[in-house]
Amino acid sequence: MSANQLIDTYRHQGLRRKLTEQLRNKGIKDETVLKAINHVPRHYFFDSSFLEFAYEDKAFPIGSGQTISQPYTVAFQSELLQVKAGMRILEIGTGSGYQACILAELGAKVYTIERQKLLYEKTKLTLPRMNFRIRTFYGDGYKGLPAHAPFDRIIITAAAPLIPDALLAQLKIGGIMVIPVGDDSQVMYRLTRISDTEVTSEQHGNFRFVPMLADRAKDV
Ligand code: SAH
């Protein structure tokens, strides 16, 4: 990323306001989420040759065969999470780091795991330069971060074939997990832990994510 890319012009700010209004029209209601989308410069997460795509409501390739999620999806998952300032949130699938920054903008303390080394190394360098303090980890998200558990919120930003037990075990009582489950297309689940043994679940529509993979050694 070149240094001049970390400049947020009036033009970028205008495009971002339009994107935020688009998300409001598509049904996002949480004003704190809309405000965060309006604040975080999404073009910082793009390579300079693709800047014109940064404020379209679309997913976009970020290298290593991965994508930055569509803004609507980021807003939708963030809204389902019901984030409050000071919460400890675990994200699986750092990717570009954009979703993590939206959660940080909401006042959360964010821990995020990425299994692709190149993406992990990139966000570890670039997020601090954007003035976001995100705790980035390289590893297998299926295992979560037992050393930092339990979490108030857990968000999975890749398609999970099932709900990983190890992640549910790292959710506090009263905590919420948002996870897209399925193979070709995914159903968005919101799970709430109500006791040590009970979890309630709701379904929130269909989405498409890149797959959550277990064996990281293959594509490092
Ligand atoms: N949250 C990202 C979008 C992520 S795309 C953003 O805002 O840009 C999904 C990401 O999940 C990819 O980067 C992929 O490499 C990662 N991923 C897939 N399986 C994983 C696993 N088991 N553990 C951690 N990350 C994983």
Side-chain angles (χ1 to χ4, degrees):
M1 176 185 303
S2 60
N4 67 359
Q5 221 183 300
L6 294 184
I7 293 170
D8 191 28
T9 65
Y10 285 125
R11 184 172 158 267
H12 294 128
Q13 291 163 27
L15 290 170
R16 208 149 62 237
R17 262 197 305 279
K18 273 195 194 151
L19 173 64
T20 306
E21 284 319 302
Q22 242 178 299
L23 298 184
R24 192 193 297 279
N25 293 335
K26 288 182 181 176
I28 302 298
K29 291 186 184 67
D30 186 330
E31 287 301 326
T32 63
V33 170
L34 291 166
K35 203 170 155 195
I37 298 270
N38 196 38
H39 274 178
V40 177
R42 192 167 182 261
H43 66 280
Y44 285 4
F45 302 81
F46 280 61
D47 287 326
S48 50
S49 34
F50 298 116
L51 285 184
E52 71 264 37
F53 297 104
Y55 294 107
E56 290 185 4
D57 187 20
K58 288 185 181 148
F60 199 80
I62 51 171
S64 309
Q66 302 305 323
T67 56
I68 178 171
S69 301
Q70 182 181 348
Y72 176 76
T73 305
V74 171
F76 191 81
Q77 286 195 286
S78 303
E79 182 167 77
L80 284 180
L81 272 183
Q82 300 176 339
V83 179
K84 291 188 187 64
M87 283 183 167
R88 287 155 39 80
I89 304 188
L90 172 64
E91 180 195 33
I92 311 301
T94 314
S96 68
Y98 177 67
Q99 171 76 73
C101 290
I102 293 291
L103 298 173
E105 185 71 27
L106 291 169
K109 192 169 174 185
V110 184
Y111 297 74
T112 182
I113 314 179
E114 174 55 56
R115 69 181 279 285
Q116 300 239 21
K117 191 114 194 225
L118 284 176
L119 290 175
Y120 159 74
E121 280 169 353
K122 192 168 175 187
T123 51
K124 191 178 155 78
L125 280 178
T126 54
L127 299 184
R129 288 181 52 209
M130 298 175 193
N131 289 325
F132 282 105
R133 166 136 169 64
I134 309 279
R135 294 141 193 88
T136 52
F137 296 83
Y138 170 56
D140 179 4
Y142 276 100
K143 300 191 175 80
L145 288 176
H148 298 274
F151 295 95
D152 298 291
R153 301 287 186 261
I154 300 180
I155 174 173
I156 289 85
T157 66
L162 43 78
I163 296 162
D165 285 340
L167 294 183
L168 262 188
Q170 293 174 32
L171 191 61
K172 275 186 195 169
I173 294 178
I176 294 175
M177 178 190 290
V178 171
I179 177 169
V181 183
D183 297 324
D184 291 342
S185 104
Q186 295 83 43
V187 173
M188 191 68 78
Y189 279 84
R190 174 163 63 185
L191 308 171
T192 307
R193 173 175 289 295
I194 51 175
S195 74
D196 277 336
T197 51
E198 291 160 286
V199 172
T200 58
S201 103
E202 303 154 19
Q203 297 186 9
H204 289 275
N206 292 290
F207 289 81
R208 256 173 209 278
F209 285 80
V210 296
M212 182 170 173
L213 303 170
D215 180 1
R216 78 167 189 249
K218 281 185 185 140
D219 29 272
V220 217

